Amino acid sequence: MGNLLKVLACTELEHGPIVFLDFEHAQPTEAETAVWNQVSAVLEEAHGILAELQSYNGAGQEIREAIQNPGDLALQEKAWNAVCPLVAKLKRFYEFSLRLENALRSLLEALTSPPYAPMQHLEREQALAKQFAEILHFTLSFDELKMTNPAIQNDFSYYRRTISRNRLNNQQLEAENEVNNEMANRMSLFYAEATPMLKTLSNATTKFVSENKTLPIEDTTDCLSTMACVCRVMLETPEYRCRFTNTDTMLFCMRVMVGVIILYDHVHPVGAFAKTSKIDMKGCIKVLKEQPSNSVEGLLNALRYTTRHLNDDSTSKQIRALLQ
């Protein structure tokens, strides 16, 4: 299994264990292979999805011209032909979110199964922990891109309006075979979310907890809080940071830390910000704020706007002030 995750010491509970998890090179053991292969098939698509989203320019000009000239059939057709392939892309993104949800469930099952504690799971299933981290990294990357691209909502709204108008006129367009009204409704709920992938993972984690009645909720929340602790310690400890061989690993680690905090906050009854939380929120926010603001502002916004319990009475004024 190697020495990828090394537990060097344990300090007081609020500081957590001192650990190093090699996010760059962890490889599956024989026991991890079945789940790893399943999740790997999904993650292989993730890079392509992000690249497509990054290059998504929208059909804003064509839509504006069509709206300004409602009687010009040529412009209506031009806008429709520009929007249809974009909606097909949006459908692929949505369908990928469903596969990502299934992959997350498989990882949660593997990383919370008795009789092992969360830290033992990280030691035993380092490659699966790395995949869990990769899912969170993808999720926050996707949502950051989506939030800064209003063309997605505009294109999809135009598509739905056009379908509705044609249905009133008893016309059915060929594109409806690709994205029919039922699929469009599901996609609309997905893209209406500010952070749709994160919402998918939060719902999936909550569902996982509710469906596994025999599994104590702490098994899941402790898995998440342990991962948050691992990331925080790696980020704030110079001798661990210097082991990163890839310059992107710092941002990867920060995204993973924020991702597990948000999942914890959605699943745990009192959330991540309460005094009883097993996550050192002050330490996590501090380590983010020590980085260049342009690289972490999206992550700080994710903590501000996609968590459930930040504005609860149980959240200290100090933590709220840190996130202002």
Side-chain angles (χ1 to χ4, degrees), residues 103-120:
L104 179 76
R105 183 183 182 87
S106 296
L107 289 173
L108 284 173
E109 286 174 354
L111 293 170
T112 61
S113 58
Y116 303 109
M119 187 56 71
Q120 290 173 305

Side-chain angles (χ1 to χ4, degrees), residues 1 32 110-111 120-130:
M1 190 158 35
E32 296 170 89
L111 293 170
Q120 290 173 305
H121 274 298
L122 287 181
E123 290 179 293
R124 292 170 60 86
E125 291 113 27
Q126 297 157 19
L128 298 188
K130 179 174 180 280

Side-chain angles (χ1 to χ4, degrees), residues 229-249:
C229 176
V230 167
C231 292
R232 174 182 57 78
V233 173
M234 286 167 60
L235 287 165
E236 68 188 9
T237 310
E239 55 265 41
Y240 293 163
R241 283 203 309 271
C242 71
R243 297 190 203 179
F244 299 155
T245 58
N246 189 322
T247 54
D248 294 332
T249 304

Side-chain angles (χ1 to χ4, degrees), residues 189-225:
L189 289 172
F190 178 76
Y191 286 110
E193 295 288 341
T195 53
M197 287 289 178
L198 202 51
K199 180 68 172 176
T200 298
L201 294 198
S202 295
N203 288 346
T205 308
T206 304
K207 188 178 177 184
F208 172 79
V209 169
S210 65
E211 287 182 351
N212 287 271
K213 307 283 187 197
T214 59
L215 186 73
I217 188 172
E218 291 79 11
D219 288 24
T220 303
T221 55
D222 285 359
C223 171
L224 299 173
S225 61

Side-chain angles (χ1 to χ4, degrees), residues 141-152:
S141 300
F142 181 97
D143 287 347
E144 282 177 23
L145 290 170
K146 186 265 178 186
M147 279 194 291
T148 55
N149 195 337
I152 290 171

Side-chain angles (χ1 to χ4, degrees), residues 63-80:
I63 290 171
R64 278 192 300 274
E65 290 175 352
I67 291 172
Q68 289 165 2
N69 302 277
D72 191 326
L73 294 181
L75 287 177
Q76 307 307 311
E77 187 175 354
K78 183 182 178 185
W80 181 250

